[in-house]
Amino acid sequence: MSLPPLPDSALNIGARARDWKQAVMLAGRALEASGAVTAEYAKRMVRVVEEFGAYIVIAPGLALAHARPGPDVHAEGLSVVTLADPVPFGHPHNDPVSVVIGLAVCTPEEHVAGVAALANAFNDASTIDALAAASTPDEVRRILGISEQVTS
């Protein structure tokens, strides 16, 4: 499976967040702006972290914000938020976070496939730093191996 489309509306480069909740909300708002989810999805992503902790911080500097499929997901979607100033999520080893990936899926099968595709994208240890330093949407897509620009 390839990564979902990444339109400009799903990108927020050099964003400012005062804490992890705001960083996750930014990823959710980017998903909402792309048309993949409703505003409720971002709130559910925050509740997942509140309930289960900072397990979404999957590598040094990288958080994968997501929630289960639900009626607030219109379509599979991906968002990328890079933070001007990294924020702590409370993870014992991988804080602070400078890149938040938002993932929305419609089915559990899409969730597994989406996470696998992201894992492949992050096989290269330099990917997180490259994303954190990216300054354009095309650069973000190139780093993640998403060659097509989708507008929405």
Side-chain angles (χ1 to χ4, degrees), residues 30-50:
L31 284 167
E32 182 184 0
S34 74
V37 302
T38 69
E40 182 60 32
Y41 188 74
K43 296 173 189 169
R44 285 201 307 123
M45 291 194 306
V46 167
R47 286 195 297 268
V48 166
V49 178
E50 289 173 338

Side-chain angles (χ1 to χ4, degrees), residues 37-97:
V37 302
T38 69
E40 182 60 32
Y41 188 74
K43 296 173 189 169
R44 285 201 307 123
M45 291 194 306
V46 167
R47 286 195 297 268
V48 166
V49 178
E50 289 173 338
E51 184 174 355
F52 298 107
Y55 80 96
I56 69 166
V57 183
I58 58 174
L62 176 66
L64 175 59
H66 61 281
R68 292 181 181 270
D72 49 5
V73 178
H74 300 303
E76 181 183 21
L78 184 71
S79 68
V80 176
V81 175
T82 65
L83 299 172
D85 299 308
V87 298
F89 274 60
H91 192 280
H93 308 293
N94 295 332
D95 272 347
V97 168

Side-chain angles (χ1 to χ4, degrees), residues 3 8 28-29 39 47 53 69 73 79 84 86 96-97 105 110-111 113 117 133 138 146 148:
L3 290 172
D8 288 358
R29 286 189 192 118
R47 286 195 297 268
V73 178
S79 68
V97 168
V105 295
E110 283 181 351
H111 178 82
D138 286 337
I146 301 172
E148 296 179 31

Side-chain angles (χ1 to χ4, degrees), residues 1-2 5 11 22 27 39-40 43 52 80 84 98 107 119 122 126-127:
M1 177 190 172
S2 60
L11 294 163
Q22 189 174 33
E40 182 60 32
K43 296 173 189 169
F52 298 107
V80 176
S98 56
T107 68
F122 288 98
S126 67
T127 300

Side-chain angles (χ1 to χ4, degrees), residues 104-148:
V105 295
C106 297
T107 68
E109 293 78 18
E110 283 181 351
H111 178 82
V112 172
V115 170
L118 283 168
N120 286 334
F122 288 98
N123 275 340
D124 182 342
S126 67
T127 300
I128 298 167
D129 288 340
L131 278 178
S135 60
T136 68
D138 286 337
E139 192 175 359
V140 170
R141 283 187 282 271
R142 181 189 55 75
I143 293 165
L144 291 175
I146 301 172
S147 59
E148 296 179 31

